[in-house]
Amino acid sequence: MQIISTTPELRDRLKSEPSVAFVPTMGNLHEGHVALVRQAREHGRCVVASIFVNPIQFGPSEDFNQYPRTLEADCAKLEGLADVVFAPMVDELYPESQQVFVEPPPVAAELCGAFRPGHFRGVATVVLKLFNIVQPQAAVFGKKDYQQLHVIRAMARQLNLPVEIVAGETLRAADGLALSSRNGYLSGEERAEAIRLYRNLVRMKESIVAGGGDYAALEHAAAADLEAHGWRVDYVSVRAVESLLPAKAGDAGLVVLAAGWLGHTRLIDNVEVCVSSGRSL
Ligand code: PAF
């Protein structure tokens, strides 16, 4: 496995590869990332993972400076799975102040976007830059960041990018908590409480599958349960998979998404729900 930090070196390394599958990350890798990198192997002869903490997707009061940089440990986890790790410095990707951005679709201003203004513009812009540098045939993104996956898919489709966007399933701890780099910020007590987010999403899914069509009531009940247990809830929302807009009667594929704070840590999660012609499957 080669570790490369500049664009010319990376382009030179990849120029004779027949196909490249790519997994962009911000490092601080866990088993969820490792699974995405394994999945990438099915989509290209050469697997490239990037490790880059992207400043333009963090708001001024967010954790950019505190975000863990663990390059050595990350590379040890990728050894034998990725062929190349692309780990540029900030100046390599942003040698001048970035003034050209990808404008994500309007739904990027909802859900997480409503609480993290500019976040998805920063994500879409860095992902397009990385796609242009790596030029992969396929790129794998986790469903854990469901709205991010939606935005990247829309960007690839609407900007005619020659890359297949592949979705990776969310990996969970034994109790169901979605693996996330931010889980490491939780105290022991918060870690025990964190599972409530997923439990509420599963309860909502079960209610919908059992025919519960009052999504607003379900959202309200879940948010109230979380808040009663010390969470600060950003949103709980039932959305249509295709558009990520608020779900309507008759939408066949739904996804229930939620985000909330436990102490200083913001957690997100989601669960897909399959319904058909008003009746639950
Ligand atoms: O999901 C992430 O880790 C980041 O948002 C991404 C896609 C690597 C862009 O910086």
Side-chain angles (χ1 to χ4, degrees):
M1 186 179 82
Q2 265 176 283
I3 302 166
I4 295 178
S5 60
T6 69
T7 301
E9 248 187 296
L10 184 73
R11 289 212 167 119
D12 191 54
R13 165 66 182 78
L14 298 180
K15 66 177 188 271
S16 53
E17 289 293 349
S19 63
V20 173
F22 177 46
V23 184
T25 82
M26 297 206 301
N28 195 19
L29 303 183
H30 50 68
E31 280 307 308
H33 296 109
V34 168
L36 301 181
V37 176
R38 282 189 206 283
Q39 191 173 349
R41 183 62 66 194
E42 297 159 25
H43 296 272
R45 274 269 297 279
C46 176
V47 172
V48 178
S50 64
I51 297 179
F52 179 68
V53 185
N54 174 37
I56 68 165
Q57 71 186 71
F58 288 79
S61 60
E62 294 186 343
D63 57 350
F64 174 69
N65 287 324
Q66 285 75 46
Y67 201 89
R69 272 81 168 168
T70 53
L71 184 62
E72 215 176 302
D74 292 340
C75 290
K77 287 181 187 147
L78 294 174
E79 194 61 63
L81 297 176
D83 300 299
V84 177
V85 172
F86 181 50
M89 304 294 281
V90 171
D91 286 355
E92 181 68 23
L93 282 202
Y94 300 110
E96 54 191 79
S97 147
Q98 187 74 23
Q99 294 178 354
V100 179
F101 294 89
V102 175
E103 181 65 32
V107 77
E110 300 183 21
L111 302 168
C112 284
F115 297 87
R116 305 186 68 188
H119 171 68
F120 289 111
R121 184 175 89 142
V123 168
T125 301
V126 80
V127 169
L128 182 60
K129 285 164 78 80
L130 290 166
F131 281 178
N132 285 333
I133 293 169
V134 177
Q135 303 194 2
Q137 277 65 56
V140 189
F141 291 83
K143 284 191 185 177
K144 160 81 178 14
D145 294 301
Y146 208 88
Q147 192 177 10
Q148 169 171 285
L149 174 63
H150 179 89
V151 167
I152 300 299
R153 277 187 163 144
M155 175 177 79
R157 205 173 53 243
Q158 296 194 4
L159 296 182
N160 307 88
L161 304 183
V163 56
E164 180 194 356
I165 306 300
V166 178
E169 294 300 326
T170 301
L171 247 67
R172 298 185 179 279
D175 64 357
L177 180 69
L179 298 192
S180 162
S181 302
R182 291 195 166 95
N183 293 351
Y185 299 162
L186 298 169
S187 68
E189 208 177 310
E190 289 167 345
R191 172 62 188 83
E193 175 57 29
I195 183 57
R196 191 175 304 278
L197 191 63
Y198 179 58
R199 293 217 175 114
N200 267 287
L201 295 180
V202 171
R203 204 169 320 148
M204 289 176 75
K205 172 179 174 164
E206 287 166 357
S207 301
I208 294 169
V209 168
D214 186 348
Y215 301 145
L218 295 175
E219 290 164 0
H220 185 77
D225 178 57
L226 290 163
E227 274 163 7
H229 290 87
W231 290 71
R232 183 156 59 82
V233 175
D234 279 353
Y235 63 83
V236 178
S237 191
V238 184
R239 299 273 166 151
V241 162
E242 284 303 312
S243 61
L244 224 54
L245 294 173
K248 308 183 289 337
D251 286 331
L254 303 180
V255 54
V256 190
L257 306 105
W261 292 83
L262 261 184
H264 296 293
T265 308
R266 186 174 189 272
L267 298 177
I268 62 172
D269 203 352
N270 64 80
V271 165
E272 289 176 317
V273 185
C274 198
V275 284
S276 159
S277 56
R279 296 198 47 215
S280 303
L281 289 179

